[in-house]
Amino acid sequence: MRIQSITDDFGGTVEDIDLRTIANGEVTELRLALVQRGVLVCRSQTLQPEDIVNFARHFGPVEYGVREDFQLPSNPDVYVISNIVENGKPLGNPNDGFAWHTDLSFLAHPTAFTFLYALETPPEGANTEFASAAVSYDRLSDEEKRQYGQIAVRHSYEMLHGTRKGARPLTEAELLAMPDVVHPLVRTHPDTARKALYLGPDTSLPMDMEPAAGDALIHSLMDRTTQRELVYSHAWRPGDLVVWDNRTMVHRATEYDRGRYRRLMHRVTVRGERPS
Ligand code: OGA
Ligand code: MN
C-alpha cells in the first residue's frame, strides 16, 4: 500500500490495495491517513455491497438512520445514489448533496466517515468536490477563532427537509426521531485534536444570533472554506471508493446530464461521536 498526497493540505490516493482483503496493520495506517488527510481515494476496486460494509466496520459502527426509501433491499446498510429508474421505481436518491455540506450534521452523533463507491459513472460531470474546514479554520484570524469558538449552532433535520423542493411533509414519527441538536461551530477532532469549522448551511442556525445574520455567517464561512483554489474535485471512474472524514471535510455533488448518462453509487456511513 502506498499513499500519495492529492493537494498539499489534504487528500490522499491509496495505491496497491484491495479493500476486500486488508490486514489490521493496513487499517491502522489507512485510518491515520484518513483523519490526517480528510479524504482518501482508492481506485480500481471490485466491491460487493457487503465488502463496502465490512471495510467500513473497521472504522466504527455502520449506521444509516434517516430515510428508508433508498436503502439497498438486499443490504439495508447500503444507501443508493442514482438517477436510474427501473420498472418505474428509482434505484436510489437522485437529488441530494448539491450544496456544500457535511453528512447528517443534524444527528446528535453525526456521521464520522462516509464511504462512496462508484458502480456506474457519467463520462463527464457528476464530480464530487471536497474542501477542508480544518484548513479554513487555520486561515481565520485569531480574533475570529476566539469569537467563533464560542458559538453554538442548532442543526435541524426539519429545516433541511424544508429546502427540498416538492418533498412530502415529515411525519410526526420522523420529527420525533429527528429532534434539533446543538453542536459547536468549531469542533475538535477526537483523534488529531485539530480544530475545524463545523458547517451545515441550510440545516443550521447559530444560537443567540438574529437568524438572518446567523445564516449569513454560516454561508460566508462556507464560501471561504470552498474557494476554488482550496477545492479538490474528484472525477469518478467505476471502481473508485472514496472515503472522507466529516469532522474536518465538507463536500458537494455536481450536476451531470441525467437524461443522457447513468450514475449508480453505493454509500455506507459510520456514526461518529458527539461533536465537541
Ligand atoms: C454523499 C454525497 C455526493 C455525490 O454521499 O454524502 O454528498 O457526488 N454524495 O454523490
Ligand atoms: Mn453528503
Side-chain angles (χ1 to χ4, degrees):
M1 167 167 92
R2 280 185 306 134
I3 300 175
Q4 228 103 65
S5 299
I6 294 178
T7 76
D8 288 347
D9 292 322
F10 68 88
T13 306
V14 187
E15 284 158 8
D16 301 324
I17 191 158
D18 181 344
L19 299 179
R20 292 172 301 186
T21 54
I22 50 167
N24 282 340
E26 288 178 319
V27 172
T28 309
E29 196 180 334
L30 276 175
R31 191 189 173 97
L32 191 65
L34 176 56
V35 298
Q36 285 175 346
R37 312 238 20 114
V39 53
L40 295 180
V41 174
C42 310
R43 302 272 193 189
S44 309
Q45 302 299 309
T46 311
L47 303 177
Q48 296 301 317
E50 61 271 21
D51 296 325
I52 312 171
V53 174
N54 288 339
F55 177 58
R57 285 220 173 93
H58 289 296
F59 296 82
V62 165
E63 175 187 79
Y64 195 84
V66 186
R67 295 168 82 188
E68 286 175 6
D69 328 21
F70 300 117
Q71 281 161 300
L72 196 64
S74 61
N75 192 332
D77 286 333
V78 176
Y79 178 85
V80 182
I81 298 174
S82 185
N83 64 328
I84 303 171
V85 178
E86 260 172 20
N87 305 321
K89 199 180 173 309
L91 285 193
N93 186 352
N95 275 331
D96 256 6
F98 289 95
W100 285 104
H101 66 282
T102 171
D103 286 332
L104 278 52
S105 70
F106 44 80
L107 297 180
H109 291 254
T111 309
F113 304 114
T114 306
F115 300 76
L116 194 56
Y117 177 64
L119 291 141
E120 290 187 62
T121 58
E124 55 188 346
N127 283 18
T128 306
E129 302 194 318
F130 297 91
S132 169
V135 168
S136 73
Y137 176 82
D138 291 344
R139 292 162 65 106
L140 297 174
S141 70
D142 289 344
E143 173 52 23
E144 285 175 315
K145 286 180 181 162
R146 195 195 57 74
Q147 201 185 328
Y148 300 152
Q150 293 170 354
I151 294 180
V153 181
R154 176 188 297 279
H155 292 249
S156 164
Y157 181 64
E158 195 181 0
M159 196 189 296
L160 175 66
H161 193 78
T163 66
R164 292 179 172 142
K165 283 182 233 102
R168 62 165 171 78
L170 294 174
T171 64
E172 197 121 325
E174 283 170 326
L175 282 172
L176 273 176
M178 225 60 76
D180 289 1
V181 294
V182 176
H183 298 314
L185 178 57
V186 176
R187 68 183 291 184
T188 305
H189 197 287
D191 301 341
T192 63
R194 192 160 179 202
K195 289 186 175 176
L197 292 168
Y198 194 52
L199 299 172
D202 304 326
T203 182
S204 72
L205 283 177
M207 314 271 282
D208 308 321
M209 265 180 93
E210 198 265 310
D215 187 56
L217 172 65
I218 301 292
H219 277 91
S220 85
L221 290 174
M222 188 60 106
D223 288 347
R224 287 165 69 178
T225 301
T226 58
Q227 295 167 63
R228 203 64 240 171
E229 66 276 16
L230 301 179
V231 169
Y232 165 62
S233 184
H234 182 70
W236 291 92
R237 298 198 289 256
D240 289 354
L241 181 292
V242 176
V243 49
W244 60 89
D245 185 346
N246 288 287
R247 282 86 56 89
T248 51
M249 302 300 292
V250 296
H251 63 279
R252 70 168 174 187
T254 63
E255 273 302 345
Y256 61 103
D257 187 340
R258 288 145 184 272
R260 205 159 149 204
Y261 303 129
R262 286 159 62 102
R263 184 173 197 246
L264 178 60
M265 315 288 285
H266 282 173
R267 175 186 194 268
V268 173
T269 46
V270 161
R271 163 191 156 110
E273 68 292 335
R274 205 169 173 130
S276 61

